[in-house]
Amino acid sequence: MRWHQREIEDVLEQLNSSLKGLSSGDVQKRLKEYGPNELKEKKKKTVFMILLDQFRDFMILVLIAAAIISGIIGEPSDTIAIIVIVILNAVIGFIQEYRAEKAMAALKKMATPTLTVIRDGRHANVSASEIVPGDIVTLEAGRFVPADMRLIEAAQLKMEEAALTGESVAVEKHTKALHDEMLPLGDRKNMVYKGTMVSYGRGIGTVIATGMDTELGKIATMLQEEEEVKTPLQKRLAVFGQKLAIAVLAICAIVFGIGVMRGEPPLLMLLTAISLAVAAIPEALPAVITISLALGAKKMIRQNALVRKLPAVETLGSVTYICSDKTGTLTLNKMMVEEIYVNGQVISSQPSVISNQLSDSAIRNPQSAICNRSPIHQLMTALSLNNDVAIDKDGNVIGDPTETAIFSFAKDAEYDKREIEEYFPRVAEIPFDSDRKCMTTFHRMPDTRYTIHPPLSLLDKGGIEGGYRESCIMNHASFISFTKGAVEVLIDKSNGILTSEGIKAIDKEEIQRITEKMAADGLRVLSFAMRGWDALPRDINPENAEADLTILGLVGIMDPPREEAKDAVSLCKSAGIKPVMITGDHPITAWAIAKRIGMLGEHDDVITGRELERLSLDRFENEVEHISVYARVAPEQKLKIVKALQDRGQFVAMTGDGVNDAPALKRADIGIAMGITGTDVAKESAHMILLDDNFATIVKAVKEGRKIYDNIRKFAKYLLSTNSGEIWTLFLAPLVGLPIPLLPIHILWINLMTDGLPALALSVEPAESDVMKRPPRDPKESIFAGGLGLHAVWVGLLMAGVVLFVQAWAIKIGNSHWQTMVFTVLCLTQLGHVLAIRSEKESLFKIGIFSNKPLLGAVILSFGFQLATIYVPFLNPIFKTQSLSFNEMLFTFGISSVVFFAVEVEKLFRRRKR
């Protein structure tokens, strides 16, 4: 039902209520019918079920099977390692699912605990959960609204609705019926909504919706129903795990079959095949990924980005779109004076510019401001006095956002309201209302004859007394009034405008031109005027007090963009990421902010929520990639935008701070909430939180995400290549007539040594030099893209070729140490390979061997352990090895370097191709 279109009498009749409120009997009946005014939660999974779900992933099942196999062949170290990895993954998944429950709890916290209602004709304090449709509720400044309500009384009532609509300015409310059926929430001025707050004034409303039927409740429903999307990493690993496991099991079966056909002992071949299966499945990969993401998340906290879900760190590297809320994210969430128009010119609000303007006059004494001829002094005095701003004991500025902006601007220019009011105390006022669009304050003039100093320019003429009286436009006035309001209203109430040459006739066309230009720049424009009085009028009313005014100037106010937002947007674009603004604010304001920070491109469009609603889904999806600014949008539309971009194959990051952002934050590939201004609901729905509410922090996070994904690819490349080498070695040896080159213990040892520390050390590899100069990865890109799969195959074949060459040569010359040499060569080729793949393109000799000290240490340690299996006597019978001579070791070391130099040559070709 469109409650905003109905008259108050119709609303009360439809709800079967009255201004005296409901009776106690009616309340009990409706409480049974509609239920308590609470946000309901869908049926939860038990903790055990959430935990059990984590073990249904195919990769996890393969790892569990590998652990069982490892335990059967008597290798408890592998069993323990795999079990630890499985538990780590289960814990991460458990935390992810449990997050949804916290989001609901945060929504429920927004309910007002107690409030005042009118029932049976009397005021009563009740719990917010006991409110029912038809209740009459009183609203006061500072209180949260307990339910959706149609206003029946509004006395200068202003609402903070930024959390629900994105509107940064407090919205003034009224009780008149509105005729437009499709008005967005932000424009329904006769309605107030659950979860918003009264910032000024008071009101009375009748409840039209409670609990899950409210706008806040609809958002809660969307949070429950909206499915989360897996990150790119999760998708790639799932596909990778299935393909790899099938391939490995097939190859192991072939190795077992060929070995048995060649006459090898079946038990030995069974153990060899099982060992190969354990070694070939990179069980270290999930652990290395987890540790890499955790290290990245820890580093990002130091950069003011708190990651709530580890895979989100990597997802940032895949993001192609950043959909950002405007208020508090791209802007300061603080209204400020941007420009003033005075004495025929537009002046920037920059302190240096204002200071230069004020320095033209030597008068700084507050008493002298009124009688200073300079129009800017007159305007600054009006700004300081004509407001209801207060300062609390802690020095915080309290009041309407527009008035606090004006007050702060004047104070920064050394026109402190508290000082000036000592000389010009307020004696009367006419409060602002939406019909007049004006506010007027009256002030007593001090005794100017002896206390006010004249401008120095008059002293030069020698006419102190006479010159002073001529310069003071408030010559014989005992009182002065200041009026602020809408420009068009004050022009009609004024008969002149103050200039440095005195009062002149108003050039309405000029004023209109300036006003339109300011408004086109996204500024809210107010006009200020003054009038002198010999005595206060007996009847202070708008008709006689707000007439015959003198215009002082215009003031343009807005919530300005953050200083660093422009650079952050530029960096996003250089990294191939398109920033998009999605806001509930006015389209002109949104356009102006987007233009100032460089978000709007030459062919980019601005669209409103109403226009978006008229677009069919097909047409919208065709146009969505050309739209950079969305204004006046509803929560469902934010979700629609994110889904449309995802349907076009984009990976979307959504930043936001309000309740209205929560569903889109949850649906986005990565949701980013604001840590300072963000609501609890937004934070609990997000994957990451910006602790400094700084859009620029996202750019740092993107860089970190890209680096982490690069490193994940590097250790995936390393693990696949080394495992490929082991598979090819055991697979090809029987085919070329050679005995099984490695024993099960050798395979497991190499797997433990080379797949462990070196792979982990790759996770701290510094970022590539071009990490922020390349476009985002194709969201559909396989982890094997960019030649990774091909690299793993040819490097594995090269490793196998080198190993089998050493085996064949040693057997031919009758060297009894051939198996130890083969064992050592396979280990060293893998250690050389990990050094070579530290960069996709740059040579190890350019980036420096010491630029990743943990990796260098891991390689040296693994090499030392390998030497221990050869030269420590009590280890020889365990590993079935013999000590190698100096020449044998030198030959083994030299031929193992073939793989390292081959990969360096591959990178040389890549650099030349680039």
Side-chain angles (χ1 to χ4, degrees), residues 285 711-721 783 788:
L285 188 58
N711 290 344
I712 289 173
R713 275 179 51 87
K714 287 170 188 174
F715 53 69
K717 178 189 287 188
Y718 172 63
L719 293 175
L720 291 176
S721 299
I783 198 170
L788 188 149

Side-chain angles (χ1 to χ4, degrees), residues 200-406:
Y200 189 82
R202 58 182 177 78
I204 298 176
T206 180
V207 176
I208 54 96
T210 59
M212 299 301 284
D213 295 327
T214 63
E215 295 297 329
L216 192 67
K218 293 173 186 175
I219 293 174
T221 303
M222 286 189 286
L223 280 173
Q224 291 177 351
E225 294 173 351
E226 194 55 47
E227 294 296 326
E228 293 199 43
V229 201
K230 284 190 174 182
T231 69
L233 188 60
Q234 289 171 323
K235 295 173 184 176
R236 291 170 191 137
L237 283 180
V239 175
F240 165 69
Q242 293 174 15
K243 292 179 178 178
L244 181 67
I246 293 169
V248 165
L249 292 175
I251 290 173
C252 289
I254 293 171
V255 168
F256 174 78
I258 292 175
V260 171
M261 285 189 291
R262 289 186 71 253
E264 299 285 355
L267 181 59
L268 174 63
M269 289 311 303
L270 178 63
L271 290 175
T272 301
I274 292 173
S275 300
L276 182 59
V278 173
I281 295 174
E283 73 277 2
L285 188 58
V288 173
I289 289 173
T290 300
I291 292 169
S292 179
L293 294 175
L295 289 174
K298 187 175 180 181
K299 182 178 179 181
M300 287 169 69
I301 289 176
R302 296 196 295 269
Q303 298 173 343
N304 292 315
L306 173 63
V307 176
R308 299 184 65 254
K309 289 176 147 188
L310 284 184
V313 178
E314 176 272 338
T315 311
L316 278 167
S318 299
V319 163
T320 57
Y321 270 73
I322 298 178
C323 297
S324 172
D325 187 43
K326 176 186 70 68
T327 306
T329 309
L330 294 166
T331 66
L332 295 172
N333 197 20
K334 178 183 178 183
M335 299 298 286
M336 297 179 69
V337 174
E338 290 279 297
E339 292 178 347
I340 63 173
Y341 172 77
V342 63
N343 198 25
Q345 58 181 326
V346 177
I347 303 172
S348 167
S349 67
Q350 295 295 324
S352 59
V353 178
I354 297 297
S355 179
N356 290 336
Q357 292 288 326
L358 292 171
S359 66
D360 292 340
S361 170
I363 296 179
R364 305 300 297 166
N365 188 321
Q367 304 174 57
S368 60
I370 294 301
C371 288
N372 188 331
R373 197 167 188 173
S374 170
I376 192 169
H377 283 282
Q378 306 276 12
L379 178 61
M380 298 303 294
T381 304
L383 298 183
S384 68
L385 293 174
N386 185 258
N387 61 74
D388 289 326
V389 169
I391 298 178
D392 65 15
K393 60 182 180 181
D394 298 321
N396 299 314
V397 180
I398 309 295
D400 177 83
T402 299
E403 291 204 329
T404 58
I406 294 170

Side-chain angles (χ1 to χ4, degrees), residues 501-570:
E501 298 174 358
I503 299 174
K504 292 189 173 183
I506 300 172
D507 185 343
K508 292 188 177 182
E509 290 185 1
E510 170 71 4
I511 296 294
Q512 184 176 354
R513 185 182 65 81
I514 296 297
T515 302
E516 289 176 354
K517 184 180 181 302
M518 284 185 169
D521 291 335
L523 303 182
R524 181 186 180 194
V525 188
L526 294 176
S527 180
F528 282 78
M530 67 188 297
R531 178 180 174 182
W533 302 82
D534 292 334
L536 280 178
R538 292 183 179 180
D539 181 17
I540 298 179
N541 59 62
E543 285 72 24
N544 59 31
E546 294 173 349
D548 299 325
L549 304 177
T550 298
I551 296 288
L552 298 177
L554 311 180
V555 177
I557 305 167
M558 79 180 309
D559 176 15
R562 293 175 177 269
E563 289 183 9
E564 60 276 12
K566 187 172 183 178
D567 290 337
V569 168
S570 176

